[in-house]
Amino acid sequence: MNDQKIRRPRQADIATLAGVSVSTVSRVLANEPGISESVRRQILKVAAENGYPVKPASEAVAGGLALIASDGVTGTLSVFYEAIVDGLRAGAAEAGMPFEVRLVREDRTTPDAVRDYMQTASAEGLFLVGIDPNEMLRGWLQASMTPTVLVNGTDPRMQFDGVSPANFFGAYEATGRLIKAGHRRILHLSGSHRHTIRERVRGFEAAINAVPGAEGRFVSLTLQGSPIREAHERTAAALAENAGFTAAFCMNDFIAVGVLEAVTEAGLRVPVDFAIVGFDDLPCALMTNPRLSTMRVDRAALGREAVSLMLARFRNRTAPARHICQAVVPVQGGTVPNPNAENP
């Protein structure tokens, strides 16, 4: 008679049989979110077939609803928000979270309207994408303790969870690229309508103030029509003043395209006579001649991080609010002259 005990399979054995990493097996067996449903099922099947004890599955994840400002997603910034929604959908699918999207006019995000949207979608959590909640909505969300995550948004009061690009630091870095290239009189074209954009203005001003002799001028844009056309007109006007500005940091790449057009029409050589840095790394940055120097925002990562924040909020609805700031990185292009400025 063989008295040897049959060895219980280890997680490493399950990982080998399922063709995944040990850490993935560990996360699935612990019922953690963030694993695709197909991989989860495969690991649980292998574990069951080989006698590995599996904990009962946790309760179903509550549903989430994303409200997106229709004037942003249907206009020139649609490509920016498209990638964010892709990240939201992917993160929700991995977590098993029912998820829906609605386009809304930001000025119509009243408590009654938002409540109706959420009830229709059977959602417990709310993602506000590119929307800064007004006072009435803020009050209702807090009073009802509705799990809320600001996506591509910043709450200066830190009452709601949020995720955004590192707007201040990205703008500081972008302006620094121009300063390192030798420029001391720099324009900043922007519309300061949202908290996130105001952070870019602050980053620009901080970079200018850090260098003796540097001068920055804020050029306010209304962004009512075409940002490219408006940036073109405002840049042409600034150049006509002969004020000696030789560079521009732009709120986004669309604005940078307008600046590039205006500078070229003025007979200036880019980047020899005038340098430009954009922001966001949108597809249009690849289409300019020369290619636009910009700052890359990982938009899909913003969506995934937002789902992680929502899952944490579902688990603890009274925890202090958290904000996740995603780094932005320089993207090489031909609109900044000094190669060293492209990799500061």
Side-chain angles (χ1 to χ4, degrees):
M1 180 177 179
N2 188 352
D3 292 330
Q4 285 186 328
K5 293 182 179 180
I6 299 176
R7 183 176 66 86
R8 192 183 89 169
R10 300 169 300 175
Q11 291 189 4
D13 300 322
I14 304 301
T16 300
L17 292 169
V20 297
S21 67
V22 176
S23 62
T24 300
V25 171
S26 176
R27 292 173 62 191
V28 167
L29 295 179
N31 291 323
E32 293 184 8
I35 305 296
S36 69
E37 194 57 33
S38 60
V39 172
R40 185 183 300 276
R41 285 197 300 267
Q42 171 66 8
I43 291 174
L44 292 176
K45 179 175 180 291
V46 171
E49 290 174 347
N50 289 272
Y52 192 96
V54 178
K55 296 180 182 178
S58 57
E59 295 182 1
V61 177
L65 171 67
L67 297 183
I68 307 178
S70 58
D71 53 343
V73 80
T74 57
T76 54
L77 289 178
S78 59
V79 66
F80 184 92
Y81 285 106
E82 179 183 0
I84 288 179
V85 171
D86 286 344
L88 283 167
R89 290 190 189 280
E94 291 173 0
M97 175 193 294
F99 177 75
E100 292 192 28
V101 178
R102 295 282 188 279
L103 289 177
V104 298
R105 278 179 48 179
E106 188 166 1
D107 61 356
R108 293 185 177 177
T109 52
T110 63
D112 287 344
V114 172
R115 183 189 300 110
D116 289 344
Y117 281 128
M118 296 188 69
Q119 288 177 349
T120 301
S122 299
E124 290 188 35
L126 179 66
F127 299 94
L128 293 177
V129 185
I131 295 176
D132 297 322
N134 56 44
E135 287 302 318
M136 289 181 58
L137 183 56
R138 292 179 71 96
W140 177 76
L141 292 172
Q142 288 183 290
S144 62
M145 296 187 67
T146 300
T148 304
V149 177
L150 306 184
V151 190
N152 191 40
T154 300
D155 180 12
R157 304 179 193 176
M158 281 301 292
Q159 294 172 326
F160 301 110
D161 297 319
V163 57
S164 70
N167 290 295
F168 175 89
F169 299 104
Y172 190 98
E173 179 83 356
T175 307
R177 295 169 71 180
L178 297 170
I179 291 172
K180 289 180 181 179
H183 298 277
R184 292 298 179 269
R185 307 201 73 194
I186 303 171
L187 301 172
H188 177 41
L189 290 86
S190 179
S192 57
H193 57 296
R194 299 196 61 225
H195 300 307
T196 52
I197 302 305
R198 291 172 192 157
E199 286 296 292
R200 296 184 189 182
V201 175
R202 287 204 316 114
F204 169 74
E205 293 173 343
I208 292 294
N209 293 334
V211 178
E215 177 185 350
R217 176 187 291 183
F218 177 74
V219 180
S220 180
L221 303 178
T222 64
L223 302 178
Q224 295 296 319
S226 165
I228 294 177
R229 180 177 302 172
E230 185 178 8
H232 180 286
E233 294 172 352
R234 296 303 302 275
T235 303
L239 294 175
E241 295 177 7
N242 294 317
F245 288 94
T246 62
F249 162 51
C250 306
M251 182 185 87
N252 62 39
D253 294 334
F254 291 114
I255 293 172
V257 170
V259 173
L260 178 59
E261 290 178 351
V263 170
T264 302
E265 288 182 7
L268 300 175
R269 297 166 297 168
V270 177
V272 178
D273 303 318
F274 199 96
I276 305 166
V277 175
F279 207 101
D280 292 337
D281 193 27
L282 300 176
C284 64
L286 298 173
M287 304 176 190
T288 60
N289 184 21
R291 176 176 172 172
L292 188 65
S293 302
T294 185
M295 305 293 294
R296 176 171 296 141
V297 173
D298 189 339
R299 302 181 291 281
L302 294 180
R304 288 179 176 273
E305 288 286 9
V307 172
S308 296
L309 283 172
M310 184 63 76
L311 294 173
R313 181 56 54 187
F314 283 156
R315 291 191 293 268
N316 187 349
R317 303 199 180 195
T318 61
R322 290 192 299 152
H323 184 84
I324 295 177
C325 194
Q326 288 274 1
V328 297
V329 297
V331 177
Q332 293 188 12
T335 57
V336 173
N338 186 347
N340 291 329
E342 296 296 324
N343 295 288

